[in-house]
Amino acid sequence: MSVRPAWEVRESGAAATSWFNVRLAFTDGARVDLLAVLSQAALSIEDVRAEPPLSLDDLAVVAEWIEEPLFEACGSHLGGGREQDRDGQARRARPAWPRGAEGLLLVAEAYRAAQEDGADPVLAVMGATGHSRRESLRLIAGARDAGFLTPRHARR
């Protein structure tokens, strides 16, 4: 795997947005090329190309594989978004989130607040919990099952 800076846009001498090329090469000849974008201390994937094509499940696994090398390459740009675990390994900090009914109630509150503001409620839950889209959708479904959110579809 390789991570290389691609280019950077500066505002008033400080880096505002940076792009990174990421390549995963496998021994069987398969490869995945990504373009990661770092803007305002947020890291996102802008483009993914794979040969052979990836399924959605494979794409989720690729995100886990590239997370650490990307944060290592971008760490100087990210500032305080990382911390050390017990073994001294760097890891991404995730906000503490309560488990059980209390956590589901907080998920429901974040979801409803985003709806009222006209924002994407799933992204609001992702931002509040620090979890992936898949995990956030699971939490939202749990909040619905617990009765904190209205059912997604009217039952007949």
Side-chain angles (χ1 to χ4, degrees):
M1 178 172 167
S2 66
V3 178
R4 295 180 321 273
W7 65 91
E8 184 173 82
V9 176
R10 294 182 178 268
E11 287 182 21
S12 304
T17 304
S18 301
W19 285 263
F20 296 87
N21 288 320
V22 180
R23 173 169 279 183
L24 289 161
F26 299 92
T27 56
D28 64 356
R31 75 174 195 284
V32 179
D33 294 313
L34 301 111
L35 183 61
V37 181
L38 176 64
S39 177
Q40 299 174 350
L43 189 61
S44 60
I45 303 298
E46 187 170 292
D47 187 34
V48 177
R49 294 175 190 232
E51 197 58 48
L54 297 173
S55 69
L56 289 177
D57 291 334
D58 292 339
L59 191 58
V61 173
V62 167
E64 292 172 9
W65 288 348
I66 66 170
E67 182 180 43
E68 280 303 313
L70 266 177
F71 275 102
E72 288 173 13
C74 306
S76 62
H77 299 286
L78 288 172
R82 297 166 58 81
E83 60 185 36
Q84 299 291 320
D85 67 7
R86 286 184 296 226
D87 299 325
Q89 297 284 343
R91 65 179 177 88
R92 183 174 52 165
R94 178 176 284 154
W97 197 259
R99 296 183 184 268
E102 183 182 355
L104 295 177
L105 181 60
L106 292 173
V107 165
E109 289 172 359
Y111 187 93
R112 282 193 300 270
Q115 276 185 323
E116 290 170 6
D117 294 340
D120 184 345
V122 177
L123 289 177
V125 172
M126 288 171 63
T129 63
H131 288 295
S132 68
R133 183 173 189 84
R134 178 182 288 173
E135 181 65 18
S136 295
L137 288 169
R138 190 188 67 73
L139 289 170
I140 291 167
R144 286 187 199 288
D145 292 345
F148 297 128
L149 292 171
T150 59
R152 184 166 170 86
H153 300 289
R155 295 193 172 118
R156 298 177 187 192

